[in-house]
Amino acid sequence: MNEPLSEAPSVAPLSETELALFNRWWHAANYLSVGQIYLMANPLLREPLQLEHTKPRLLGHWGTTPGLNFLWLHLNRIIRARNTSVLFIAGPGHGAPGIVASTYLEGTYSEYFPEVSQDLEGLGRLMKQFSFPGGIPSHAAATTPGSIHEGGELGYSLSHAYGAAFDNPDLVVACVIGDGEAETGPLATSWHSNKFVDPATDGAVLPILHLNGYKIANPTILARIAPRELAALLRGYGYEPIFVEGHDPDPMHQKMAAAMDLAFDRIAAIQKAAREDGKTERPAWPMIVLRSPKGWTGPKEIDGLRTEGYWRSHQVPFSDLTHPGHLQALESWLRSYKPEELFDESGRLFPEIAALAPAGTFRMSDNPHANGGQLKRPLRLPDIADYAVAVTSPGHEIGESTRVMGDWLRDVMKLNLESRNFRVLSPDENNSNRLNAVLDVTNRAWNAETFDYDDHLARDGHVMEILSEHTCQGWLEGYLLTGRHGFLSCYEAFIHIIDSMVNQHAKWLKTAAEVPWRRSIASLNYLLTSHVWRQDHNGFSHQDPGFIDHVINKKAEFVRVYLPPDANTLLWTTAHCLQSWDRINVIVAGKQPEPQWLGLDDAIRHCEAGIGIWEWASNDKGGTPDVVMACAGDVPTLETLAAVKLLREHAPDLKVRVINVVDLMTLDSPSQHPHGLDDASFDALFTLDRPVIFAFHGYPQLIHKLIYRRANARNFHVHGFREEGSTTTPFDMVVRNHLDRFHLVSNVIDRVPGLATRAAYAKQAIRDKLVDHTRYIAEHGRDLPEIEAWRWS
Amino acid sequence: MNEPLSEAPSVAPLSETELALFNRWWHAANYLSVGQIYLMANPLLREPLQLEHTKPRLLGHWGTTPGLNFLWLHLNRIIRARNTSVLFIAGPGHGAPGIVASTYLEGTYSEYFPEVSQDLEGLGRLMKQFSFPGGIPSHAAATTPGSIHEGGELGYSLSHAYGAAFDNPDLVVACVIGDGEAETGPLATSWHSNKFVDPATDGAVLPILHLNGYKIANPTILARIAPRELAALLRGYGYEPIFVEGHDPDPMHQKMAAAMDLAFDRIAAIQKAAREDGKTERPAWPMIVLRSPKGWTGPKEIDGLRTEGYWRSHQVPFSDLTHPGHLQALESWLRSYKPEELFDESGRLFPEIAALAPAGTFRMSDNPHANGGQLKRPLRLPDIADYAVAVTSPGHEIGESTRVMGDWLRDVMKLNLESRNFRVLSPDENNSNRLNAVLDVTNRAWNAETFDYDDHLARDGHVMEILSEHTCQGWLEGYLLTGRHGFLSCYEAFIHIIDSMVNQHAKWLKTAAEVPWRRSIASLNYLLTSHVWRQDHNGFSHQDPGFIDHVINKKAEFVRVYLPPDANTLLWTTAHCLQSWDRINVIVAGKQPEPQWLGLDDAIRHCEAGIGIWEWASNDKGGTPDVVMACAGDVPTLETLAAVKLLREHAPDLKVRVINVVDLMTLDSPSQHPHGLDDASFDALFTLDRPVIFAFHGYPQLIHKLIYRRANARNFHVHGFREEGSTTTPFDMVVRNHLDRFHLVSNVIDRVPGLATRAAYAKQAIRDKLVDHTRYIAEHGRDLPEIEAWRWS
């Protein structure tokens, strides 16, 4: 069943001389790969291999590596022949031995890490550092020159590749996808990214599906379906696959060279048709399927057990080097690549082999897009003052915060359209999230069938919508990592779908910050709207505020959480986030009509501090309050102010201080987060001993987790989401979770001793009110009119 | 481009009489659907429609509903004709109006909810409750009879369907997949589940891809690629698609009836070939593609704007009923279904229409598998005593905990093989996680090409491995929800991939617990191994202990977290979890060789309490200790005991109490979690005022979040993962995160006043030791021999 399909090219583009050189490069890359996995000394086997030359713990992955080395070599041929800029993405998880080897052979590794020099000593360092304490991991990472893609968690290579290709018309992104990774959900849908590419204004992605047949311990699905089924699948995804299959190196080199020629010819033809001939139909982009043995060129058998082309080659084909015959097997394997024909006396790659690499930034290992920060241009941002909501008195005006933000984003888009470096993404929620205005100046990216009644679809649109949070996130990461800017809006509950991708991006940011030559990239910005409190209509499945909890576990330097309570604070926050770098900024804000509290000047002052007393809502007049009412989030702010108003009515003497938190991390200790307030400021706000009734957008324990070190921690009583969701009304959502004004007031009564005399009466009134509420919504299906019409003033 | 492909059947199986009846049923279902969305009174329009008959907030989704109603009707025909048991899964997110309508028409809804009776009053209740406070959500949910699938978050319908079909040879699961959902990653890869189905011993899944062309605001990809491209994609996934396309109801009924006949004929033929003729080749399973207008039979235009077949039909085609003409449009629309021809005077469906439904549990709305708890049989479990590790003295023996557990799981598998109700799943990590023994008694499920050198692959294997956490999770959920048992093992960091699926399952469990007729299902059991502390070799990308944080935000009744420190505690915990129900059990345990602390009897006592003092490691002899050393997790336990040993050496007079926590939720307040220790017991363990040095497996703040209410909270000093990961050695991982014995001892010195005199000396010794460690691993690539060889006794 392994015969190639008919479309595999049968020409032989390589001369005998080239073929010999190609094999030597490949041998060199494979040799260095095996060396990295096994050796910590004697890098060129100038003396017989001894146990002490090998690493005590053998780690790192051989299986996918020779295939990656093979592909890198053949892409280099294309780059040299065509002066094409190619970015390489290594999807196979643990392919670093190959990627690092190829990067070293191109000289780039030594340029970035001078101590890993192009000589015997450098070779020794190269080998020792791999999967070694203080060294480098066994997958491509932020430490790998030429890489924008961490190979640890699988699934995101192809969406990263497309993200890199958008708005980079002169770039080809060669994306190797392992047949293991191809089984993941995120990868399986990211093939459809080709419906969002404009051949005229975007670059091209060349997917290379690498079938080596085995994962850690199991065969892979795509390697074990009939070739015609596989071809149908890939054509169904919209690609024209070119198959390169086999084992014997010389014919494989010829086939791959021909396949690469064909693929790049097709890419050029597609781009010419779109750019010069005005062709508008979506093309079938070429892709390559490489079917080669796992652990290609490695030992065929070890201890009588099948190794090459089998799962035993996945990581280290044999590990216990004290086992009889293993050390010899390793030495034979290494010597099979003939290191003496690859590296000169000093340990330097022979120049005729080195000449196979392109020069300077044409080397994939030094492609400027892979260190995107160096290409990044700041966004041109309109003045938020021109979009601010006029607030005549706090809470008087009603506005849809995200719609105001949408107006501003429209003009961000407009000002940067010419630079083509800003995209707005969402899983089919752009308009639902009230960012419609952006479509006044651009369209939704779409390159599939279109009907005349369709709405704002265009091949070069800069709003990206696909019903896949994974793909949105992957595209955006690829776009940011190559030096551009973006903004992702999502329903709050469903952003958990990409929890794990956020982890990996946070890890990338932390590691990249420790790599001196990595330049800062634009922040990853989220707007979470359609949030837990306003998903009353969609019900429990749409209600979850836990993404904040997830994000703040990441390294503090890189994460920020903002809860702007109204439109002007949201404007400031959004503008702030779009000017920041190397951060993961989470903004949670409502899209429903809601009171507007702060005029722009007040909003700016409040946001710059991140937290502050709202004097206009407080009546402690600079003295010590009886109770602190704190709030974070738009709905909690509303309920807190409604509670304060009730308290003024029922207990006019009570001294209440209202604190609003926009920048959640101000609550954290300064030893834990750079935005954490110092203790003196914190204590000045929250007092040392007064009850703090805290209304929070998310899970209450999160606040306790942030403030447990503070002096007044014991007196914090936090109201938030208690996992009590349902299909109901907005006000009933807060009632069910005790975040409503009545429960807040009731808690104040319980906590402030001086109120005891009135307590019974007030609590009964509150209970009656809640009974009214429950009866009313059951009959009318909406909140009590007095709740809907409530105003602060 | 919308012409059907040639393979669409062209017979006309329905007589004129049947056709008329089919239309009446479909009208009735559509009528009830529109009624649920819009009406709260006047359910059969016995009086002219008035504004007060309509709901004040219009919610719920029309777009997908008529298609679902159409499919339900046609599946009923098949069920009646063939006496086939069919489970219906509604992938389209908000299809509840249709599902609930069909369920009501079958009489089931009234059987489960007698107040929603088969009369005018019941019809009124049916309509009012939909998307109404205290009512039901707009997607199928635990409250929907016949459903195992919540329609809120998209992506999991097909993996749920396969999970339900495994080991149910007489069941056909009809799974409707919306073209929106089809864009998600989890759905895109779950098509490949057909490579894991055994036609002989498993049931069948009939995927029905419903192309209605639009999502919330965008066209869908699969509706906008050429039909031949779509057919290639589906064939590439291994299916033989049958296309049913059109708009005009009568021919569409004929086409769908023919398509259903063809599909069920093929399923029967495939099963016969496998079951009677011994055919072993993987078949191309049939599937149906239904291309019909979004909001089919709804208003063509509203206010001059295209509605049917467009995104405007997605939710509520028109909402403001005070707008001129809208109320009339609604009445005309409702009356177009001729309710007087559907329901009799009393409001009951006419018997000739009702006769289209199958009887009893053949109704899809009453399929017993949809309330799987009623089919659940407890697992037969071997006595853990037969697998226990002998522990001669604490810490003396070394064992691989998960390997011991694997031996026990092997025999769980063996004892239940005949019942075929237990599966073990992992994303290609079964052997890596040391559960190899299970393969002694079963195989890996695999129905794709197999070579003679393959390892333990078989069509009827009960170990499920695909490199997709989403698919593993979806299969397992489907399997549990239909009354069976399972166990999922996963690398700890990558379990975050299914964070959002866990949310949804937790929500299902909570909601189902509130539905009186839902029966308990087996718990969702996780083993997280290859955990953060032993991913030193794979590096930072593989290091994340945050899944615990995610899970404990869910409703306390349903979540449990266990951190057994050795093999015997792991055995007890695993056996406990496999006997529990309606829980999400997270077990974190190591797979590497590590000291074994407790013999079986001690392990049982310790696990039953969930937390306890390890007297053998303590020297406070029942008095008040100077310091409490607490630990949770295998590696933290090891480091804590090593620290205690150092303290004995350096400060023999210091009274140390060692507490080990297996059941993490014992730390929580009893008001928050049912396992939470009461304050008296907690204080007795942790004292009221002594420093507690807590070594924790995960993020330290999680412990603070659990214990902030406790009397001694301020004196807890927690060491855990600080997001300092790298490729390094196991011991260096703990050092980088200050979880190692030296940092623990150093903290004790800082916290216990009496130690001040010795502090300088001891801390210098510790610093020296850490410098030695750093030097040693940089040179040797492994931990100091004294660390590797460390023993408690």
Side-chain angles (χ1 to χ4, degrees), chain A residues 485-505:
Chain A
H485 307 261
F487 196 89
L488 174 53
S489 77
C490 188
Y491 280 28
E492 187 180 28
F494 301 147
I495 195 71
H496 274 299
I497 291 171
I498 49 81
D499 275 2
S500 211
M501 296 182 78
V502 174
N503 278 349
Q504 297 300 334
H505 190 72

Side-chain angles (χ1 to χ4, degrees), chain B residues 391-452:
Chain B
V391 175
T392 53
S393 79
H396 185 73
E397 281 79 12
I398 298 292
E400 293 165 279
S401 300
T402 62
R403 197 180 293 284
V404 175
M405 172 198 197
D407 290 344
W408 184 77
L409 280 179
R410 173 197 62 219
D411 291 342
V412 177
M413 182 62 78
K414 195 171 166 187
L415 286 174
N416 297 281
L417 265 186
E418 204 183 300
S419 336
R420 299 189 66 81
N421 63 347
F422 181 58
R423 294 204 179 213
V424 172
L425 304 93
S426 91
D428 191 34
E429 293 159 7
N430 186 72
N431 285 13
S432 172
N433 294 338
R434 312 280 189 269
L435 306 180
N436 328 33
V438 179
L439 294 175
D440 294 349
V441 297
T442 184
N443 292 294
R444 300 179 172 106
W446 184 257
N447 193 354
E449 195 177 16
T450 311
F451 298 128
D452 55 7

Side-chain angles (χ1 to χ4, degrees), chain B residues 219-239:
Chain B
T220 59
I221 293 172
L222 296 190
R224 296 295 185 93
I225 61 177
R228 292 191 186 279
E229 207 167 281
L230 177 62
L233 182 67
L234 299 171
R235 288 189 184 119
Y237 276 133
Y239 298 87

Side-chain angles (χ1 to χ4, degrees), chain B residues 151-447:
Chain B
E153 183 172 298
L154 301 176
Y156 320 126
S157 61
L158 194 54
S159 55
H160 283 170
Y162 276 98
F166 293 135
D167 291 321
N168 270 328
D170 299 325
L171 184 66
V172 176
V173 186
C175 179
V176 186
I177 301 154
D179 46 357
E181 180 176 23
E183 292 178 12
T184 67
L187 199 292
T189 200
S190 64
W191 293 103
H192 289 298
S193 302
N194 54 11
K195 283 88 191 176
F196 299 84
V197 167
D198 178 10
T201 59
D202 294 323
V205 172
L206 175 66
I208 304 172
L209 177 63
H210 187 196
L211 301 179
N212 64 29
Y214 259 92
K215 297 170 294 204
I216 302 182
N218 280 277
T220 59
I221 293 172
L222 296 190
R224 296 295 185 93
I225 61 177
R228 292 191 186 279
E229 207 167 281
L230 177 62
L233 182 67
L234 299 171
R235 288 189 184 119
Y237 276 133
Y239 298 87
E240 192 48 47
I242 306 165
F243 289 82
V244 176
E245 308 192 354
H247 177 275
D248 192 14
D250 285 359
M252 284 295 279
H253 281 301
Q254 297 291 10
K255 283 189 218 176
M256 184 53 80
M260 287 279 179
D261 280 337
L262 186 54
F264 279 79
D265 285 349
R266 283 191 190 161
I267 289 171
I270 287 167
Q271 291 180 335
K272 178 176 177 297
R275 296 173 190 185
E276 296 173 25
D277 312 334
K279 187 168 164 24
T280 58
E281 216 177 307
R282 173 170 57 90
W285 291 93
M287 65 168 289
I288 292 174
V289 180
L290 168 61
R291 191 190 295 266
S292 64
K294 187 149 190 147
W296 199 9
T297 76
K300 302 272 178 281
E301 279 194 356
I302 290 293
D303 308 331
L305 296 172
R306 182 186 175 88
T307 307
E308 192 194 40
Y310 200 41
W311 62 263
R312 286 198 190 84
S313 289
H314 176 75
Q315 195 188 13
V316 180
F318 50 100
S319 47
D320 179 6
L321 294 177
T322 64
H323 184 282
H326 280 195
L327 194 67
Q328 294 83 333
L330 174 60
E331 183 161 4
S332 311
W333 178 13
L334 281 162
R335 291 203 190 277
S336 75
Y337 299 119
K338 303 185 183 164
E340 63 284 2
E341 297 180 7
L342 310 174
F343 300 93
D344 70 13
E345 191 55 35
S346 72
R348 195 180 183 85
L349 187 68
F350 281 112
E352 66 274 22
I353 309 177
L356 293 181
T361 55
F362 274 107
R363 294 172 298 183
M364 290 184 289
S365 53
D366 202 20
N367 190 302
H369 298 282
N371 188 4
Q374 62 191 343
L375 303 176
K376 180 166 60 88
R377 296 167 52 182
L379 285 176
R380 300 173 62 196
L381 297 181
D383 186 349
I384 58 172
D386 300 337
Y387 306 82
V389 171
V391 175
T392 53
S393 79
H396 185 73
E397 281 79 12
I398 298 292
E400 293 165 279
S401 300
T402 62
R403 197 180 293 284
V404 175
M405 172 198 197
D407 290 344
W408 184 77
L409 280 179
R410 173 197 62 219
D411 291 342
V412 177
M413 182 62 78
K414 195 171 166 187
L415 286 174
N416 297 281
L417 265 186
E418 204 183 300
S419 336
R420 299 189 66 81
N421 63 347
F422 181 58
R423 294 204 179 213
V424 172
L425 304 93
S426 91
D428 191 34
E429 293 159 7
N430 186 72
N431 285 13
S432 172
N433 294 338
R434 312 280 189 269
L435 306 180
N436 328 33
V438 179
L439 294 175
D440 294 349
V441 297
T442 184
N443 292 294
R444 300 179 172 106
W446 184 257
N447 193 354

Side-chain angles (χ1 to χ4, degrees), chain B residues 13 56 60 73 98 111 133 223 268 413 571 748 752 754:
Chain B
L73 164 64
E111 293 167 21
M413 182 62 78
L571 272 178
V748 171
V752 180

Side-chain angles (χ1 to χ4, degrees), chain A residues 1 214 310 449 454 499, chain B residues 1 214 310 449 453-454 499:
Chain A
M1 65 151 270
Y214 258 92
Y310 201 43
E449 197 177 15
D454 279 327
D499 275 2
Chain B
M1 66 151 267
Y214 259 92
Y310 200 41
E449 195 177 16
Y453 52 78
D454 279 327
D499 274 1

Side-chain angles (χ1 to χ4, degrees), chain A residues 36-67:
Chain A
Q36 288 177 80
I37 294 170
Y38 282 95
L39 301 185
M40 54 190 283
N42 190 15
L44 287 181
L45 298 183
R46 296 272 161 94
E47 48 184 309
L49 187 64
Q50 303 293 328
L51 198 59
E52 63 263 29
H53 301 145
T54 65
K55 296 181 179 178
R57 298 174 80 206
L58 296 174
L59 306 167
H61 291 66
W62 167 244
T64 186
T65 293

Side-chain angles (χ1 to χ4, degrees), chain B residues 29-209:
Chain B
N30 290 342
Y31 179 86
L32 294 184
S33 302
V34 184
Q36 288 178 83
I37 294 171
Y38 281 95
L39 301 185
M40 55 190 284
N42 191 14
L44 286 180
L45 298 184
R46 297 273 160 94
E47 48 183 309
L49 187 63
Q50 303 293 328
L51 198 59
E52 61 262 30
H53 302 146
T54 64
K55 296 182 179 177
R57 298 174 82 207
L58 296 174
L59 305 166
H61 290 66
W62 167 245
T64 186
T65 293
L68 290 173
N69 290 338
F70 185 80
L71 290 164
W72 190 286
L73 164 64
H74 281 272
L75 285 162
N76 270 350
R77 171 177 165 272
I78 290 288
I79 295 167
R80 282 184 299 120
R82 304 178 184 225
N83 282 334
T84 304
S85 176
V86 178
L87 182 68
F88 189 89
I89 291 189
H94 292 274
I99 305 304
V100 171
S102 300
T103 301
Y104 178 83
L105 292 177
E106 294 187 341
T108 321
Y109 207 90
S110 306
E111 293 167 21
Y112 283 94
F113 300 99
E115 70 282 10
V116 185
S117 45
Q118 299 278 314
D119 53 23
L120 208 55
E121 205 181 327
L123 275 174
R125 289 214 182 89
L126 178 80
M127 289 178 179
K128 184 175 171 184
Q129 70 171 10
F130 177 81
S131 262
F132 200 83
I136 62 170
S138 67
H139 39 73
T143 48
T144 315
S147 178
I148 63 161
H149 177 78
E150 176 96 28
E153 183 172 298
L154 301 176
Y156 320 126
S157 61
L158 194 54
S159 55
H160 283 170
Y162 276 98
F166 293 135
D167 291 321
N168 270 328
D170 299 325
L171 184 66
V172 176
V173 186
C175 179
V176 186
I177 301 154
D179 46 357
E181 180 176 23
E183 292 178 12
T184 67
L187 199 292
T189 200
S190 64
W191 293 103
H192 289 298
S193 302
N194 54 11
K195 283 88 191 176
F196 299 84
V197 167
D198 178 10
T201 59
D202 294 323
V205 172
L206 175 66
I208 304 172
L209 177 63

